Amino acid sequence: MPRDLTAGTPFRRGRLRVYLGAAPGVGKTYRMLDEARRRSERGADVVVGFIECHGRRHTEEMLRGLDTVGRLTRTYRGTEFTEMDLDAVLARRPEVALVDELAHTNIPGGRNAKRWQDIDELLDAGIDVITTVNIQHLESLNDVVRKITGIPQRETVPDEVVRRADQIELVDMAPQALRRRMAHGNVYTAEKVDAALSHYFRVGNLTALRELALLWVAGRVDEGLRDYRATHNIDRVWEARERVVVALTGGPEGETLIRRAARITDRTAGGDLLAVHVTRSDGLAGASPGTLAEQRQLVESLGGSYHVVVGDDIPTALLAFARAHDATQLVLGTSRRGRLARFLTGPGIGETTVDASEDIDVHMVTHAFTGRGRLPALGRRHSPRRTVVGYSAGLLLPVLLTAVLSPLTGTLNLTTVALIFQLGVVAVALLGGALSALLASLIASLLLNYYFIPPVRTFTIGEPNNVIALVVFAAVALTVSTVVDRATRLTARAARATAEAETLSTLAGSVLRGADALPALLEKTRTAFGMDSVALLDRAGGAVVARSDAGGDPTPGRAVTEVPAGSGASLVLAGRRLPAADQRVLTAFAAHVAAALERDRLATVAAEVEPIRAADRMRTALLAAVSHDLRTPLAAALASVGSLRSPEVSFSEEDRAELLDLADESLVRLTRLVDNLLDMSRLQAGALTLHLEPTDLRDVLPRALDSLADRDAPVRPLGLDVAPPVLADAPLLERVLANVVANALRHNAPGAPVLVSASSLHDRVEIRIADRGPGIDPADRDRVFLPFQRLGDTDNTTGVGLGLALSRGLAEAMGGSLDIEDTPGGGTTMLLTLAAAPVPAPGPDPGI
């Protein structure tokens, strides 16, 4: 019974359940019908909106007894087709509607172009929908499936439509089991089985499609898990899947760490490898961009992914990234700092990360560069923490030295004690800078006077020499600390300049390398300056030419920086406020972006000019090639007709018939040549008009054979009576078959027939034209489809070589393809693939 939607219950959108399969025949529709029966037995109001059984007996048996809404009949180009009656299902108002083939394209005439749009209307009406789809119909995988199977999928559905489903259930079947099911006649009819098993349903194809389906569903499961953890504020790592994060500093140890992390990942099936580099928010100071680019290539070659995050506290940024990606293991390199550096700067990144890692396993990997780093320039730019540490050291270190040296007053003389204090002041200068060293020198002077200069325990100085020594000590301490602080700052500037130079060099290289330089430059700009987003704007219209976003939450109170990038564009950065030094370098970045933008503009102009150049090359080749081919049949026809009209010569009936046949053959050849030239020019100009309609091969092939010069040529058709109609332009298909058959006859072995066979495979029809000639080398197979190519010919007596080029162009214009295969036993087979015409489906059984 229809539901009463006015009963006062709160409205909810319908829930979508999708049965996803790797290939036709795995049992998606059967599982959908089984679920429908289960719900119906529990009292749910289930109705069949549209089910396609494809003649499968077991599926038809499952359909019996379910309430079915009648189909809607539409006429398209003289043929009747049936579709789901959307309005009837909406009026019926069931709890659950079964709608097969989510990616189906509706026959023109309805309000929606695609079936998934019909399903959206049902969901908006509060009706739950159960549907089916195969992995090859997902839009994002369309090109991948074509590379695997060689067959383009014309009907696709956006991934987001399937991703929004409330439930996605994978209907899985091993390739060998599916092939057995097909061999038993449970998927296709008997005449289609052999062609299907030898082409689309090969074990390799099915295995690859199954892997695609499993990985896609696994990705959706992972998304659902992350959403659940975010909704319930679960921060701890769930080890549902091994994910290994390797931290890269851009140092020489990076390759060792990447390979070690890859080996850890390979120990677990389905593990993920993620590499991350933390760049500080102070801009360009840091690792070499060139080294990081090499390490990124290594990570991606090992099947991992590369990420860049911005953070001043590197351990915190690393662990935040690892937890956000549900990582189970973190790989770090042991410190390149020496013992002195570790003593002066305290715990390193590795130790801090281990202490805060909690439930993430941290691997500290030794490498050849452990402990070989230089003493860092500690004064390059003092963080608040370092400033506090510097002042603390300036206050405490002289006191500590006094406590250690006081018991040794009788052993050490005043000069030695002063030098030790001097060394302590220098250490404070290295750690905290000039001001902290000034504090240390003042305290050291007072302590030196009070505890070590007679009379001790008083600030009174008994001898004038000691006064001079104390003054000299203070002056030297201040001078040395100032020099050390200045040296560290100059070292920092030099390091920054080196980083800037390496970054700009990398940018220049990316511009010179060309391909997709602009997006890469914007991404480098964003990561180098630690910004939330970078956009290239057209100043004339304000449109965004390209952009790069970091994702995540924007920086609170973020600033916007804009610099010109060429004459008509601006580079806009949003995020932290840039200091003057970074803005100077940003100007150089903008210059590179402007160069990349100009290069893209020139490439666009060159691409627009290329068709004109190609047309000129085509015209030149045409004039060079057709001179003889046009002249020969025209001269023969003129000579034959002129001889017949000559009053000076009397011909017998036999001679007259021979001359007429010669004239007819020459004119037919000339007509075909001119038609080919005209069609090729229309193809090149994009002006070919198509009228696609269901076309029976049994009607087209005889007309194609009649157009051949030798109408008695040995051509044997096979299987045309069982092949379904194709969706094609009949006159153009006739031209394609005539050209391909003529080419096969020209190269066929003497006395051997040319075989023309047809078979259907899923929604395609494959037409094979096989000869017993010498065959074509695989290296030459693409070349034979170029205009004005006559493979193996040495003269112009066999045509200008347009037949196969034109045939492929016409086949692709009709949505098909023309390829070359080897004929078993020797020879060449031309494989013409076209879309099968939609077959009108039978209406619902009144008795169901």
Side-chain angles (χ1 to χ4, degrees):
M1 294 293 292
R3 285 186 302 163
D4 182 6
L5 299 180
T6 63
T9 57
F11 175 79
R12 70 164 179 84
R13 193 174 190 269
R15 297 175 63 84
L16 177 62
R17 181 169 187 163
V18 177
Y19 285 97
L20 176 70
V26 295
K28 302 179 301 299
T29 304
Y30 189 94
R31 291 280 292 276
M32 178 174 63
L33 291 171
D34 183 60
E35 174 66 14
R37 286 183 170 277
R38 186 180 64 83
R39 295 193 185 193
S40 181
E41 290 171 358
R42 292 188 309 185
D45 180 23
V46 181
V47 70
V48 175
F50 188 94
I51 293 290
E52 191 64 72
C53 293
H54 298 289
R56 297 167 188 167
R57 178 172 56 85
H58 298 296
T59 305
E60 292 172 349
E61 291 174 355
M62 290 292 291
L63 183 60
R64 291 194 183 98
L66 293 176
D67 191 9
T68 304
V69 173
R71 296 187 182 186
L72 188 66
T73 301
R74 289 197 180 103
T75 302
Y76 180 67
R77 292 183 175 178
T79 304
E80 289 189 347
F81 302 91
T82 61
E83 293 282 6
M84 179 178 70
D85 192 338
L86 176 60
D87 291 327
V89 178
L90 289 171
R92 171 67 173 72
R93 293 179 299 173
E95 291 182 53
V96 182
L98 308 184
V99 184
D100 210 0
E101 299 180 353
L102 176 65
H104 172 74
T105 301
N106 293 331
I107 297 298
R111 62 175 174 269
N112 295 322
K114 303 287 289 188
R115 184 163 290 165
W116 63 263
Q117 295 170 321
D118 293 340
I119 290 176
D120 263 354
E121 288 199 33
L122 296 177
L123 296 173
D124 289 339
I127 301 172
D128 293 345
V129 177
I130 306 177
T131 187
T132 64
V133 70
N134 280 326
I135 193 68
Q136 69 263 29
H137 294 297
L138 295 182
E139 183 64 50
S140 66
L141 299 176
N142 186 260
D143 57 335
V144 179
V145 173
R146 180 170 186 171
K147 291 177 182 177
I148 293 171
T149 65
I151 299 175
Q153 299 296 326
R154 304 296 174 184
E155 294 187 327
T156 59
V157 59
D159 289 44
E160 184 58 29
V161 173
V162 184
R163 191 178 283 113
R164 287 199 308 260
D166 299 279
Q167 287 181 277
I168 302 174
E169 183 170 333
L170 178 66
V171 182
D172 187 33
M173 178 174 287
Q176 294 80 1
L178 179 56
R179 285 170 60 85
R180 283 196 301 271
R181 175 182 287 187
M182 182 168 292
H184 295 157
N186 295 329
V187 179
Y188 291 143
T189 55
E191 63 272 9
K192 300 179 181 180
V193 170
D194 289 339
L197 290 176
S198 60
H199 293 90
Y200 190 89
F201 287 84
R202 294 192 293 264
V203 173
N205 287 0
L206 295 177
T207 302
L209 293 173
R210 187 187 188 197
E211 182 179 17
L212 283 178
L214 290 169
L215 290 175
W216 195 90
V217 172
R220 304 296 75 74
V221 172
D222 196 44
E223 287 179 3
L225 180 60
R226 286 202 297 267
D227 291 342
Y228 178 85
R229 293 177 65 237
T231 302
H232 293 78
N233 297 318
I234 300 174
D235 295 328
R236 66 181 184 276
V237 175
W238 284 6
E239 300 180 5
R241 183 176 181 180
E242 285 290 346
R243 289 184 177 87
V244 181
V245 173
V246 53
L248 301 178
T249 65
E253 77 282 358
E255 292 188 8
T256 301
L257 302 183
I258 292 169
R259 292 190 170 92
R260 178 61 181 273
R263 290 195 297 271
I264 295 174
T265 306
D266 291 341
R267 292 171 188 166
T268 58
D272 292 334
L273 172 63
L274 300 90
V276 60
H277 171 67
V278 180
T279 179
R280 296 183 182 275
S281 64
D282 60 355
L284 298 173
S288 165
T291 303
L292 285 173
E294 293 174 358
Q295 293 174 1
R296 176 175 187 165
Q297 292 178 357
L298 177 59
V299 170
E300 293 175 347
S301 70
L302 293 172
S305 58
Y306 180 85
H307 307 266
V308 177
V309 297
V310 178
D312 290 322
D313 189 338
I314 295 179
T316 301
L318 279 177
L319 292 172
F321 175 85
R323 291 192 175 97
H325 289 78
D326 230 11
T328 56
Q329 302 186 60
L330 180 60
V331 177
L332 298 170
T334 53
S335 178
R336 283 180 285 155
R337 300 178 305 157
R339 293 181 179 179
L340 178 59
R342 290 198 295 271
F343 172 77
L344 291 175
T345 59
I349 293 173
E351 297 174 41
T352 307
T353 303
V354 170
D355 292 340
S357 62
E358 296 179 352
D359 50 359
I360 299 177
D361 296 337
V362 179
H363 299 263
M364 298 296 295
V365 179
T366 58
H367 48 83
F369 303 93
T370 299
R372 297 186 180 182
R374 295 177 300 173
L375 185 67
L378 301 176
R380 63 178 59 183
R381 180 178 291 185
H382 300 306
S383 64
R385 177 176 176 272
R386 283 280 301 282
T387 301
V388 171
V389 171
Y391 281 113
S392 300
L395 180 64
L396 298 177
L397 185 59
V399 176
L400 179 63
L401 289 176
T402 300
V404 172
L405 297 175
S406 292
L408 303 176
T409 303
T411 305
L412 301 176
N413 60 28
L414 181 60
T415 303
T416 303
V417 172
L419 289 176
I420 293 174
F421 272 101
Q422 188 75 65
L423 181 62
V425 172
V426 172
V428 172
L430 285 171
L431 186 62
L435 293 179
S436 59
L438 175 61
L439 176 64
S441 65
L442 292 176
I443 296 176
S445 299
L446 294 174
L447 293 175
L448 187 64
N449 180 15
Y450 190 82
Y451 286 100
F452 299 98
I453 296 178
V456 297
R457 308 288 178 174
T458 178
F459 288 107
T460 303
I461 302 176
E463 295 184 13
N465 288 336
N466 290 338
V467 175
I468 297 173
L470 184 62
V471 171
V472 171
F473 166 79
V476 171
L478 289 175
T479 303
V480 171
S481 63
T482 303
V483 171
V484 169
D485 181 69
R486 178 175 174 78
T488 56
R489 292 183 184 277
L490 290 176
T491 301
R493 293 179 186 177
R496 180 181 179 87
T498 301
E500 291 175 0
E502 290 180 345
T503 301
L504 294 176
S505 174
T506 303
L507 288 176
S510 63
V511 173
L512 294 175
R513 284 191 292 271
D516 297 328
L518 192 56
L521 281 174
L522 295 183
E523 177 67 15
K524 287 179 182 295
T525 303
R526 184 188 63 76
T527 56
F529 291 97
M531 306 300 284
D532 291 339
S533 66
V534 175
L536 182 63
L537 300 182
D538 183 356
R539 286 207 294 262
V544 177
V545 179
R547 69 180 298 122
S548 172
D549 291 295
D553 297 330
T555 301
R558 63 180 184 171
V560 175
T561 304
E562 181 174 353
V563 293
S567 58
S570 295
L571 192 62
V572 179
L573 294 82
R576 68 185 182 90
R577 189 174 300 279
L578 292 178
D582 283 353
Q583 292 191 10
R584 175 180 57 82
V585 180
L586 179 60
T587 303
F589 273 66
H592 285 291
V593 171
L597 186 62
E598 179 66 12
R599 193 195 63 80
D600 286 351
R601 186 188 67 80
L602 294 176
T604 302
V605 172
E608 293 174 352
V609 173
E610 182 57 30
I612 300 176
R613 296 178 57 191
D616 288 340
R617 290 194 298 267
M618 173 77 73
R619 190 178 298 109
T620 302
L622 178 62
L623 293 175
V626 305
S627 57
H628 182 276
D629 295 272
L630 283 173
R631 192 164 54 243
T632 300
L634 186 59
L638 287 174
S640 299
V641 174
S643 299
L644 291 172
R645 295 184 62 184
S646 174
E648 301 175 358
V649 182
S650 177
F651 294 100
S652 64
E653 289 299 324
E654 183 178 349
D655 292 337
R656 289 175 62 85
E658 184 176 351
L659 288 172
L660 288 173
D661 287 341
L662 178 60
D664 180 64
E665 180 182 346
S666 299
L667 291 175
V668 168
R669 179 180 171 188
L670 183 62
T671 300
R672 184 182 298 110
L673 175 60
V674 172
D675 287 342
N676 283 345
L677 292 173
L678 291 175
D679 284 342
M680 180 58 74
S681 64
R682 284 197 290 267
L683 272 176
Q684 293 289 331
L688 189 66
T689 302
L690 298 176
H691 181 64
L692 300 181
E693 60 183 356
T695 303
D696 195 325
L697 294 175
R698 292 173 297 180
D699 298 331
V700 177
L701 183 61
R703 294 198 300 268
L705 298 180
D706 289 341
S707 66
L708 299 177
D710 184 4
R711 297 180 181 179
D712 297 325
V715 179
R716 182 189 303 170
L718 294 173
L720 301 187
D721 53 338
V722 296
V726 296
L727 196 62
D729 186 302
L732 293 184
L733 178 57
E734 179 184 329
R735 297 287 307 287
V736 172
L737 290 175
N739 284 333
V740 176
V741 171
N743 183 77
L745 289 170
R746 185 160 54 247
H747 298 285
N748 198 24
V754 171
L755 302 180
V756 181
S757 60
S759 61
S760 63
L761 179 62
H762 194 37
D763 58 349
R764 314 291 288 173
V765 175
E766 296 181 340
I767 306 165
R768 287 177 168 80
I769 299 93
D771 64 54
R772 292 292 181 179
I776 301 176
D777 189 271
D780 294 325
R781 290 182 177 178
D782 287 334
R783 190 160 63 90
V784 301
F785 291 108
L786 298 176
F788 315 118
Q789 297 292 323
R790 297 185 300 275
L791 195 63
D793 295 339
T794 57
D795 56 45
N796 276 354
T797 62
T798 55
V800 295
L802 279 177
L804 291 182
L806 175 63
S807 298
R808 172 174 272 189
L810 294 177
E812 292 177 349
M814 292 185 290
S817 61
L818 182 62
D819 300 292
I820 297 176
E821 295 180 345
D822 290 325
T823 301
T828 299
T829 296
M830 291 290 177
L831 175 60
L832 174 62
T833 304
L834 295 170
V839 179
D845 188 344
I848 295 180

